[in-house]
Amino acid sequence: MKNGKIFPSSFPILLAFGLLGALFIFSHSYPINENKGPGTEDFLTICNKQRGAHVWGIVDTTDFQPLIDNNLEWITLVSWGYQDDIDSPIVTHHDGDSIRIMDYDAHWVRKIKSVRAAGFKVFFKPHVWLLSPSEGKWRSDIFPANELGWQTWQESYRNFILRYAKVAERAKVEMFCVGMEFWRLSVEKPEFWIKLIEDVREVYSGKITYAANWYHEYEEIKFWDQLDFIGVQAYFPLANTTNPSLREISKGWSKHVRTLESLSKKWDRKILFTEMGYKSTTNSAITPWEWSQNLSDSDRQYSPETQAKCYQAFFNKVWGKDWFDGVHIWVMRIDIAENYHKDNIDFTPLGKPAEVIISKGFERQKSSTGS
């Protein structure tokens, strides 16, 4: 979700004002007024929470303005590791040339420092990408084929994570993620993660979390007490129909909120949404996790209204909970600002009604804490 300028300068001025007016009208068409949402007096007493987003396309400080305008406090930055398939024993993240590795790490340090110099906090979040996954498989299915493969994978993944933990320490990153969505490995190999967390704390002094998938993982992990937050990739299904009402989406949070609250109490840790996002489609509340590139033609129906309602339901039903510590939205795309077009169905909320909802939700909480 990146934006820079929301509307290209070549657009007629009249059109720009018309679209901005539409955003204003929409934001008032769906007042946020349920369960301590923005706009209610109780909401103004909420303690400070993380207001963040994954950001693509940061080049220099001129790119920060859309993030500042939308009241973000945190920027989530992603580094990458790669493996071929779910049973591959090696996580690659460099070409073996030590000079190039040093240069690349120094580049990350400079980039992070520039973000922090602009006044943002940084969540550094390494991801592993499967290059040639077997059909129907993805990161949650990663599991080495045998004991030798497991030993090799452990070593290569530890090398990957410790490398970027050291970068995070050099750049004074506020929060670091030790892994994400490794469902089988996180549930079946807890001892590996406990030792890895210990190793990371030896080289990194900030807060640490793990980003667990919402489906069959975050409830089953046994090492939350070793971390500072319970991290959840919060792509929970919230509706059963396309074009759902705000009431329907809000109701869809009920069972998830109960489970999250119970887990927070069990482990004495606050919940952090390490990712949460919605496409601009009519079915975005049904399957929030689906990539827009993978949608069938029938599911590619543009609906910025549904996207906005999803964010509004989040602010209404989750944001004000005392066990909840914040959200890192997926994703703000500054790199598509000049190519923005009205039927973009991707996750980016910039230039869409959802941007107004996010900005207002973050702004009220920001002003109430003075942060």
Side-chain angles (χ1 to χ4, degrees), residues 143-215:
F143 205 85
N146 51 48
E147 186 59 28
L148 179 59
W150 167 233
Q151 294 301 324
T152 304
W153 190 92
Q154 287 183 82
E155 226 21 71
S156 65
Y157 186 79
R158 179 178 279 107
N159 181 274
F160 166 59
I161 286 297
L162 289 179
R163 172 191 175 184
Y164 285 115
K166 292 172 184 176
V167 168
E169 181 67 15
R170 287 171 59 189
K172 301 187 185 304
V173 164
E174 284 80 3
M175 187 166 64
F176 183 75
C177 190
V178 297
M180 61 169 291
E181 299 176 338
F182 293 112
W183 167 54
R184 283 199 63 189
L185 289 173
S186 69
V187 173
E188 297 183 33
K189 303 288 187 181
E191 65 285 344
F192 165 73
W193 297 99
I194 292 171
K195 180 61 169 66
L196 179 63
I197 292 163
E198 291 176 358
D199 293 343
V200 168
R201 291 199 187 278
E202 288 292 320
V203 300
Y204 172 69
S205 57
K207 300 293 185 181
I208 300 175
T209 190
Y210 172 89
N213 193 29
W214 68 273
Y215 183 70

Side-chain angles (χ1 to χ4, degrees), residues 240-255:
N240 297 316
T241 61
T242 57
N243 292 309
S245 67
L246 176 59
R247 181 179 297 277
E248 181 181 354
I249 300 172
S250 297
K251 185 178 180 181
W253 271 111
S254 298
K255 65 178 180 179

